[in-house]
Amino acid sequence: MEKVVIYAAYPLWRKNSLVGFARAKELQDEGNDVTVAYCAAKCGTCICNQMGNPVVCGICRTTTRLTAKRLGLNAVPLEIDSESTSNCLDISFSERKELVEGVLSGLISVFRILPKDIKRHRLLRILKRRSYRTAVGLLRQLKSLMARTRPDRFEVFNGRHACSKAGLLAAKSFIIPYYTLEVTSRRRPIIHRGYTAHDRVGVQQRILSQPVDMELATQFYENRKRPQNNRFAKHHSSRFVLPSTDGFDRLVTVFLSSQDEFASLGKSWRSTFDEDHAVIGRLCRRFPKSLFCIRFHPNQGGIKSDITSEFQKLGELPNVTVYYPHDPANTYDLINGSDVVVVFNSTVAAEACWAGKPVIMIGPSFYDRLDVGYTPTDEDELQQLLDIPNLAVKDRQNAARLAHYLLKDGDQMKYIRVDNAEMTADGAPRSLPVLTVMARHFNTLTSEAVKPFV
């Protein structure tokens, strides 16, 4: 028997709540001493309640308490008052920085704006301060709970945003082992033991443990090209024509990442390279006989920060063609027509490797330890790789392991049922689900109403 504290983070979000409570109930059935902690703020600001609406807070704490009671779980409310949010002498400077990073993660995800631009908007600065105060209160209360209960393990969903990150910080301060819960792209619950869902080292170790199923991988990478299986492929044009390479020695395609997504992951994901437009610009000038096709990620179209101006300047170079987020370029035609593929963190790295293309990956990614491409540590190494006339293609086995991870991996849970990539509760349903849906929709509507002013 182990003593386990599970923090019910994001209780208004359906999948998070289902997995968190299913996990708590299953651990208790196995004979463990389980405590479910939950936020009991009356006017808190968090990723689930961006505007700090007291009605949303009320629904959140009430439904969480009733769900725990219904499932026979011991639930402990974390009362956040003015004292817990104002006095933070017991919180270290590094912990405060982590909380700020978690707050920024939420703001970036919701408002699709890069960190450098958040401080320019008064409303976002206010939301940042309010979210930080709530997170400080949660951290103090979770530290107090850890000191009282001294659990053998702590578990929380995700761990990226400030509300769940507070739990991880509390556990680390008492050197308590932790697990993070998540849901895979195929709607399966997954448990990360000792790392988070955005820890690229831990995630890649799990990917490398997968079996090599070449038939399954073939099916996966072929399905990625079909619009019904890949929402980004819907933007691809069947009439797309590759640019002419007359007068050039080769075609190098550069695939950009969705900058806001990776900015939201925090400091561990900061690249040692210069900004992407600067790196690419120097490459284009260094290799004038190479035609560079620069492909923006389709998801970048919703980013409010200016991400295109510098590339418009690059597009004026004679050896550069730029495809912006809303341009109907075909990613897979670009891959197939390329002599070299350069990737700033994208599944395209594995797809290009699978297609038999040499891949160069710039900066940290979920693929930088899979050996599906080359990972230069600086621009000198990057340029040296592009100097090689016939860069060798990497082995496809780890691309196959990635396909198995994305399609098949996950952890079975007693109280979760997964049918046709749809996850439902099986014996551990939420209380008052209609109210939680209403609260979440209200939060979404208020956030959308604010976006035009950001």
Side-chain angles (χ1 to χ4, degrees):
M1 185 183 73
E2 286 188 310
K3 187 183 292 185
V4 184
V5 169
I6 295 182
Y7 175 50
Y10 323 102
L12 292 180
W13 291 356
R14 178 179 174 274
K15 68 176 184 179
N16 311 40
S17 179
L18 287 180
V19 171
F21 279 110
R23 174 69 174 167
K25 180 65 173 170
E26 183 174 339
L27 286 173
Q28 184 167 276
D29 288 353
E30 293 171 354
N32 297 290
D33 181 2
V34 178
T35 297
V36 175
Y38 67 96
C39 176
K42 293 181 172 59
C43 194
T45 302
C46 67
I47 188 68
C48 293
N49 188 10
Q50 288 285 340
M51 299 301 119
N53 188 294
V55 176
V56 174
C57 267
I59 292 174
C60 182
R61 64 176 182 270
T62 300
T63 55
T64 305
R65 174 176 56 81
L66 292 178
T67 300
K69 182 178 180 181
R70 181 178 186 176
L71 299 177
L73 296 166
N74 175 39
V76 176
L78 304 174
E79 303 284 353
I80 301 176
D81 51 29
S82 58
E83 180 182 351
S84 66
T85 59
S86 61
N87 180 8
C88 55
L89 295 177
D90 54 346
I91 298 177
S92 69
F93 179 71
S94 63
E95 288 173 334
R96 296 183 208 183
K97 287 180 65 177
E98 290 274 356
L99 288 181
V100 170
E101 192 173 272
V103 168
L104 287 173
S105 178
L107 291 174
I108 294 166
S109 297
V110 172
F111 294 101
R112 302 295 309 277
I113 188 169
L114 298 179
K116 62 182 181 180
D117 295 320
I118 288 178
K119 57 186 176 183
R120 300 177 186 174
H121 296 274
R122 182 172 180 272
L123 178 58
L124 294 185
R125 293 198 304 270
I126 293 171
L127 295 181
K128 179 182 173 182
R129 287 195 297 269
R130 292 178 60 174
S131 297
Y132 175 74
R133 284 199 297 268
T134 300
V136 165
L138 280 172
L139 177 53
R140 292 197 72 210
Q141 292 300 314
L142 283 162
K143 279 189 171 185
S144 176
L145 177 64
M146 300 289 182
R148 295 196 310 271
T149 60
R150 294 289 175 173
D152 300 300
R153 190 172 69 250
F154 173 78
E155 300 193 11
V156 67
F157 197 94
N158 190 273
R160 174 161 64 94
H161 302 300
C163 49
S164 58
K165 181 168 281 194
L168 294 180
L169 291 173
K172 290 175 182 178
S173 69
F174 287 92
I175 319 178
I176 296 169
Y178 67 87
Y179 291 177
T180 58
L181 313 173
E182 249 300 346
V183 173
T184 70
S185 59
R186 300 290 294 175
R187 299 294 190 274
R188 290 187 177 91
I190 187 169
I191 303 169
H192 301 293
R193 293 165 173 83
Y195 61 97
T196 66
H198 53 275
D199 181 331
R200 68 182 194 279
V201 176
V203 169
Q204 287 182 92
Q205 286 177 344
R206 182 158 181 158
I207 293 171
L208 290 170
S209 72
Q210 304 293 310
V212 175
D213 186 332
M214 303 304 277
E215 184 178 344
L216 182 74
T218 299
Q219 176 188 347
F220 171 76
Y221 289 111
E222 285 301 313
N223 283 339
R224 289 278 300 176
K225 301 175 185 178
R226 301 188 178 104
Q228 62 268 34
N229 299 313
N230 179 356
R231 65 189 178 97
F232 297 120
K234 294 177 182 178
H235 301 283
H236 296 170
S237 172
S238 59
R239 297 185 298 275
F240 174 72
V241 178
L242 287 170
S244 172
T245 55
D246 290 346
F248 297 102
D249 296 335
R250 62 180 173 180
L251 174 62
V252 178
T253 303
V254 181
F255 290 93
L256 303 177
S257 64
S258 188
Q259 291 102 320
D260 61 322
E261 289 184 14
F262 295 102
S264 72
L265 295 177
K267 62 185 178 183
S268 64
W269 282 80
R270 289 175 191 156
S271 176
T272 56
F273 284 80
D274 200 350
E275 292 186 88
D276 49 8
H277 65 82
V279 174
I280 298 169
R282 287 190 283 270
L283 285 181
C284 296
R285 294 177 178 90
R286 170 72 173 77
F287 298 97
K289 298 299 291 181
S290 296
L291 175 60
F292 286 84
C293 288
I294 302 169
R295 173 70 162 120
F296 274 74
H297 195 291
N299 195 40
Q300 291 171 286
I303 297 178
K304 289 186 172 292
S305 297
D306 177 18
I307 58 172
T308 61
S309 295
E310 295 296 335
F311 286 94
Q312 289 169 1
K313 298 175 186 176
L314 274 182
E316 297 173 0
L317 295 175
N319 64 328
V320 175
T321 299
V322 183
Y323 299 101
Y324 295 98
H326 298 298
D327 289 345
N330 191 305
T331 293
Y332 300 102
D333 285 349
L334 282 167
I335 290 174
N336 292 333
S338 297
D339 296 294
V340 180
V341 174
V342 178
V343 181
F344 283 82
N345 196 321
S346 171
T347 312
V348 167
E351 292 176 294
C353 173
W354 185 261
K357 300 295 179 178
V359 178
I360 301 174
M361 294 183 284
I362 299 177
S365 75
F366 279 120
Y367 319 102
D368 56 13
R369 295 176 181 233
L370 301 184
D371 199 31
V372 295
Y374 298 89
T375 54
T377 57
D378 55 35
E379 279 194 55
D380 285 341
E381 285 189 30
L382 172 60
Q383 292 185 5
Q384 289 168 18
L385 286 168
L386 283 174
D387 267 326
I388 300 173
N390 295 298
L391 195 60
V393 178
K394 293 285 188 174
D395 189 276
R396 301 197 303 173
Q397 287 198 52
N398 287 342
R401 288 188 170 93
L402 174 64
H404 191 279
Y405 171 79
L406 293 173
L407 288 176
K408 297 290 186 180
D409 201 15
D411 293 279
Q412 287 189 339
M413 287 192 181
K414 180 179 177 181
Y415 294 104
I416 293 287
R417 183 173 64 251
V418 180
D419 294 313
N420 298 319
E422 183 61 34
M423 187 180 70
T424 56
D426 189 9
R430 297 186 298 170
S431 295
L432 305 176
V434 175
L435 275 182
T436 58
V437 170
M438 289 174 58
R440 182 170 181 183
H441 283 338
F442 181 82
N443 180 53
T444 301
L445 288 172
T446 53
S447 296
E448 288 296 324
V450 168
K451 285 181 181 180
F453 302 100
V454 170

